Amino acid sequence: MNKKDIEVVELFAGVGGFRLGLEKTSNSFKTIWANQWEPSTQAQHAADVYQEHWNDGTLVNEDISLVWENVPKHDLLVGGFPCQDYSVAQTKAKGIQGKKGVLWWEIYKIVKKNKPSMILLENVDRLLKSPVNQRGRDFAIMLSSLNELGYIVEWRTINAADYGFPQKRKRVFIFARKSNSKKTPTKKFIEKESIFRNEFPVETFYDSKQIDLNKYEDLIDITQKYKEGKFAESGVSIKGKVFHTKYKASLSKQTPFKDILDKNQKNYKFLTDKQREIAAYQKSSKRIERQSKETGFKYLYSEGKMSYPEVMELPGRTMLTSEGTINRSSHFIKSGKGIRFMTPIEAERMNGFDDNWTSSKHDRFRYFAMGNALVVGIISKIGKEIIKNVK
Ligand SMILES: C[S@@+](CC[C@H](N)C(=O)[O-])C[C@H]1O[C@@H](n2cnc3c(N)ncnc32)[C@H](O)[C@@H]1O
């Protein structure tokens, strides 16, 4: 191993979006250990795909909660993990304990044990406002616990389409670095020191706020009493002091859907007349009376009209794991006289994976994997800044 290598551990690896993004930036990134385990199926398709691309023994295909102690020392920990309930309770031994099965606590234990100098995580932007009945509490727990372990934590919600990628995919990226700094974070930090400052240019920051998490005694106190509300799209937290702000991206030239079309007509699957009818209905605006199963309460559910077929002059909408089914969120494309599903290759292109990255698997999984994955180019951009930082 070269001395200037950055040793990476990849958690919740899926089909390898983080690794691919980092490797596309620099060969200084060396993934030394990775983990992927799909709890809901016996088949381990994502792990298979990962191993097809990196058959070097780095991937451990087991539940992270069973193998976290085997994670070796590393420089950079990366992973996209589920948004769950992060609340903590007191144990009988007066320690603190997060709920079983909440994967954030596996990340926390790995960080505590291995103390990597950097951490890069990805999540849905809902993380900044969860849970519904105590907005922002879960993210406050996350910030506070990483600050306690000696990390400066910054985050930014990024819509990939704003920075030239062919998908409107909004995700929060969290970057933490080990530091003894006791600075009070300000807008200046976000403008001059943030890992996001060069690759994700901003037109303006506005509506900034501060929060002092030190007024809470510990994570249990945050769990019970946190009431500062949700976190804005961009921010930094140093030793419990948080500065956060909304921002308007300085837009790059957009990449429209038409630029990533799969030209191979053999891959096209057309909708039948019946399917076209259902898809058109699902995309239409509607007001439906529904009844709550729990309370019996009747209410009007309404949803707006969506373009059908897809507008080719704009970036695609967010891809979900249900892509490829007849569904309101799937992409349907006009092609000749017919309307077709988006092809698996188009799904891969939307995220910036190489064509046929998942082609050893059936289509249903290929769409599912891309709905779970991330925009690889965003990781490459952050990777570029990590390399500069380390130098
Ligand atoms: C949001 S996806 C991450 C996708 C990944 N970033 C990619 O580029 O493909 C989360 C992944 O965590 C995996 N996972 C869920 N529970 C897990 C567990 N207990 N241990 C290990 N992996 C788990 C899922 O199978 C899924 O592939």
Side-chain angles (χ1 to χ4, degrees):
M1 193 78 52
N2 197 316
K3 246 193 151 181
K4 63 181 196 323
D5 285 346
I6 299 172
E7 294 187 333
V8 182
V9 161
E10 183 178 23
L11 302 177
F12 313 108
V15 295
F18 272 97
R19 183 161 179 177
L20 183 63
L22 293 175
E23 289 184 357
K24 277 181 190 278
T25 302
S26 162
N27 55 15
S28 297
F29 289 110
K30 294 277 179 327
T31 300
I32 56 164
W33 197 90
N35 178 258
Q36 161 57 32
W37 165 257
E38 175 49 57
S40 67
T41 58
Q42 209 174 0
Q44 294 293 317
H45 292 319
D48 294 345
V49 170
Y50 191 99
Q51 279 161 321
E52 279 161 24
H53 293 287
W54 296 286
N55 189 12
D56 54 3
T58 46
L59 188 87
V60 176
N61 181 210
E62 281 180 68
D63 186 334
I64 189 63
S65 64
L66 305 176
V67 294
W68 69 272
E69 279 174 301
N70 304 341
V71 174
K73 282 251 173 252
H74 54 282
D75 303 306
L76 170 65
L77 180 70
V78 300
F81 60 109
C83 175
Q84 296 170 306
D85 177 345
Y86 298 167
S87 62
V88 292
Q90 190 117 39
T91 60
K92 285 199 190 101
K94 295 267 178 216
I96 57 155
Q97 191 165 50
K99 280 196 181 150
K100 266 221 159 77
V102 175
L103 297 169
W104 156 248
W105 298 111
E106 306 306 325
I107 299 178
Y108 175 80
K109 285 187 287 189
I110 291 167
V111 172
K112 195 170 174 182
K113 177 167 174 274
N114 291 285
K115 303 179 182 65
S117 51
M118 294 167 287
I119 309 167
L120 175 61
L121 305 168
E122 178 246 13
N123 210 308
V124 291
D125 57 343
R126 185 160 44 87
L127 174 65
L128 303 179
K129 39 195 170 188
S130 295
V132 173
N133 57 5
Q134 197 186 355
R135 293 281 184 209
R137 180 202 70 194
D138 287 346
F139 198 60
I141 289 174
M142 201 174 151
L143 291 179
S144 181
S145 47
L146 285 175
N147 280 169
E148 264 175 32
L149 294 179
Y151 290 85
I152 292 185
V153 190
E154 41 172 320
W155 73 92
R156 174 92 46 105
T157 298
I158 296 171
N159 182 350
D162 288 347
Y163 295 101
F165 297 103
Q167 185 187 177
K168 293 174 196 155
R169 195 176 185 86
K170 230 183 188 186
R171 290 292 183 265
V172 57
F173 294 85
I174 301 154
F175 180 73
R177 55 186 111 176
K178 215 150 182 19
S179 162
N180 295 322
S181 170
K182 291 192 176 78
K183 271 192 226 171
T184 298
T186 58
K187 188 167 157 195
K188 206 168 140 204
F189 179 97
I190 294 198
E191 285 174 337
K192 303 265 189 272
E193 291 181 56
S194 163
I195 194 86
F196 305 108
R197 71 190 186 284
N198 297 321
E199 291 293 319
F200 303 95
V202 163
E203 202 178 290
T204 52
F205 290 105
Y206 63 100
D207 267 2
S208 26
K209 290 193 183 120
Q210 280 167 328
I211 298 177
D212 188 358
L213 294 174
N214 299 320
K215 72 180 191 194
Y216 298 100
E217 249 170 65
D218 52 24
L219 297 181
I220 298 174
D221 205 30
I222 298 182
T223 300
Q224 291 168 346
K225 302 193 190 129
Y226 179 80
K227 59 173 171 26
E228 270 75 10
K230 67 179 180 183
F231 290 83
E233 299 146 341
S234 179
V236 53
S237 178
I238 307 177
K239 295 236 178 291
K241 292 213 162 38
V242 182
F243 174 88
H244 63 144
T245 173
K246 293 183 184 167
Y247 79 94
K248 189 167 183 288
S250 166
L251 301 183
S252 311
K253 192 173 174 294
Q254 293 210 319
T255 301
F257 201 134
K258 65 176 182 197
D259 284 11
I260 57 153
L261 287 179
D262 180 355
K263 300 272 161 54
N264 187 351
Q265 300 203 6
K266 281 194 202 132
N267 296 334
Y268 294 178
K269 289 210 174 88
F270 287 91
L271 276 69
T272 61
D273 289 347
K274 183 77 197 153
Q275 285 176 322
R276 283 174 68 148
E277 220 176 272
I278 301 171
Y281 171 73
Q282 290 189 340
K283 298 265 181 181
S284 67
S285 74
K286 46 189 124 26
R287 284 159 72 83
I288 315 164
E289 194 181 87
R290 285 192 180 167
Q291 191 168 14
S292 157
K293 274 191 193 133
E294 289 95 50
T295 61
F297 181 74
K298 284 189 180 159
Y299 61 97
L300 261 187
Y301 173 80
S302 61
E303 52 190 18
K305 186 177 177 342
M306 289 176 77
S307 329
Y308 173 76
E310 222 51 57
V311 181
M312 289 291 108
E313 309 305 319
L314 294 174
R317 291 167 299 96
T318 311
M319 225 182 338
L320 304 184
T321 50
S322 58
E323 184 68 49
T325 61
I326 301 286
N327 192 295
R328 188 171 153 83
S329 54
S330 286
H331 296 77
F332 300 112
I333 299 160
K334 183 157 175 34
S335 188
K337 283 188 182 146
I339 292 188
R340 63 173 180 84
F341 291 95
M342 176 160 92
T343 73
I345 287 185
E346 285 162 345
E348 288 160 352
R349 289 181 183 172
M350 271 238 227
N351 275 340
F353 280 80
D354 302 344
D355 283 3
N356 287 313
W357 188 260
T358 53
S359 63
S360 63
K361 298 293 174 186
H362 53 79
D363 286 359
R364 187 80 284 288
F365 173 77
R366 298 184 69 184
Y367 293 119
F368 178 82
M370 287 301 119
N372 249 343
L374 43 71
V375 173
V376 168
I378 291 191
I379 302 302
S380 300
K381 278 174 169 286
I382 299 174
K384 210 164 137 186
E385 289 299 304
I386 290 178
I387 296 277
K388 276 201 229 161
N389 254 15
V390 170
K391 275 187 188 154

